[in-house]
Amino acid sequence: SSSIVPLPAILRKFFYHFPLHTYPPIPPPQPYGAQATSPTLWISPPRQHFATDPSANVLSADVECLKWQAYLALRGVSEVALRWDVNPAGAPGARLPALQVPGISRSVLAAREIPTWVDAKLGRDDDGNEFEGYLDAKARDESRAWVALLEGAVHAALILHNGQPPSESAWTALLWSPIQSAPSSLAALLTPPPPPLSGLTSLLPPYGERISPSNIQLQYQTAIVSLSDRLGTDKWFLGSSGPTALDALIFAYLHTLLNAPGPLRIEVNKRANLVAWELRVRGIVQPAFHIASRS
């Protein structure tokens, strides 16, 4: 006798309306590392709606991603492919940007690992590198205050007006910033040391009090005036003979601010030297990248 218990007629009639279909298995997607044939930077998407030809704009709308785009380009690394169809969860630390490099054992590098890869690719010259590309030790030390100002007052204004996320500590570590860890709140972004000769002082109220948007705006305005005054007519910030990591950082912020809502953009537009400098550096950064093939 059969061990199968027959279904009642009413159940057989019910399941008749829901037949079982079997589909062939779906193979897993080919890993990104196997697809890359050239260095590929994973970034947040650009502001495509600002360009007549969306494919012509390859600069990320996220200031953190743009910092590393500018760093690669100004270090002289060109022909880097870009992807912005990658979920951040697939990047190291679940954060963008990340650099996908074919031909190495671990093919996706976190942002903090990019400088080491660039040094190896270009062959770092230890001679003359004592001051990290700056004129002297004084200029190198001054750069740290400017990093703190940008990652503090300027980034706080972006959070307030433009919804940018808190800054990532990997960049500040690269530039020897006094900031020791990634800030976790807006208040933490408002305590950097002042830039040299600017007279800027912290306007952060005592702990527990409400942060005034007007104070953030005042710090931002003072920061932009200080940047403009310090640049003057120089080709690169702090009078460097060539671009430094500080120039990459400043370009990322200026480009983001010039595409930000009115109050932020207007403040930069008042400074003709900053606008002209951003335009010139953009002409160096943008051609260094192309959209990765999806084949």
Side-chain angles (χ1 to χ4, degrees):
S1 63
S2 175
S3 62
I4 299 176
V5 179
L7 287 174
I10 189 171
L11 286 181
R12 288 200 304 270
K13 184 177 181 181
F14 174 78
F15 287 132
Y16 176 80
H17 297 286
F18 303 97
L20 178 65
H21 293 283
T22 302
Y23 296 94
I26 301 175
Q30 189 179 15
Y32 289 118
Q35 295 178 2
T37 57
S38 63
T40 303
L41 191 66
W42 299 354
I43 61 171
S44 297
R47 292 179 183 83
Q48 295 186 347
H49 60 279
F50 277 94
T52 304
D53 176 8
S55 65
N57 186 14
V58 295
L59 301 182
S60 176
D62 174 59
V63 69
E64 290 300 317
C65 293
L66 187 53
K67 291 173 189 179
W68 293 102
Q69 284 189 267
Y71 176 81
L72 287 169
L74 295 182
R75 283 291 307 270
V77 180
S78 59
E79 294 301 314
V80 177
L82 295 175
R83 296 193 72 136
W84 51 79
D85 61 342
V86 180
N87 191 311
R95 296 196 64 165
L96 298 177
L99 183 66
Q100 178 187 357
V101 184
I104 64 175
S105 57
R106 189 166 58 83
S107 62
V108 181
L109 306 178
R112 65 181 179 276
E113 299 172 295
I114 292 176
T116 301
W117 176 82
V118 173
D119 288 342
K121 178 177 177 61
L122 299 180
R124 183 170 181 172
D125 183 10
D126 292 329
D127 297 331
N129 198 47
E130 178 183 0
F131 304 125
E132 303 165 30
Y134 301 104
L135 286 175
D136 49 31
K138 182 180 178 181
R140 180 196 59 199
D141 294 341
E142 181 184 343
S143 72
R144 303 176 188 178
W146 290 105
V147 173
L149 178 69
L150 291 162
E151 301 282 64
V154 175
H155 204 102
L158 279 172
I159 292 175
L160 181 67
H161 292 284
N162 202 32
Q164 288 278 347
S167 179
E168 186 180 5
S169 60
W171 187 266
T172 57
L174 169 67
L175 295 181
W176 295 79
S177 167
I179 301 175
Q180 296 300 315
S181 60
S184 58
S185 67
L186 183 60
L189 290 168
L190 295 177
T191 55
L197 307 179
S198 73
L200 179 68
T201 57
S202 174
L203 299 176
L204 180 66
Y207 180 78
E209 294 186 16
R210 182 176 181 273
I211 298 174
S212 169
S214 62
N215 286 345
I216 297 175
Q217 186 66 25
L218 177 60
Q219 290 197 41
Y220 169 71
Q221 291 171 349
T222 306
I224 296 303
V225 171
S226 300
L227 276 175
S228 178
D229 290 345
R230 188 62 178 90
L231 175 63
T233 58
D234 289 344
K235 184 176 182 180
W236 302 107
F237 272 85
L238 308 187
S240 302
S241 58
T244 64
L246 177 62
D247 291 289
L249 185 70
I250 292 174
F251 168 77
Y253 276 106
L254 289 180
H255 181 79
T256 302
L257 292 169
L258 287 169
N259 289 283
L264 301 183
R265 183 177 65 253
I266 290 171
E267 199 61 42
V268 178
N269 274 327
K270 293 178 182 177
R271 320 294 165 188
N273 64 334
L274 294 182
V275 174
W277 187 88
E278 185 277 338
L279 180 62
R280 180 177 65 82
V281 177
R282 194 194 328 156
I284 300 173
V285 175
Q286 187 147 324
F289 300 92
H290 63 275
I291 301 174
S293 172
R294 299 296 189 267
S295 59

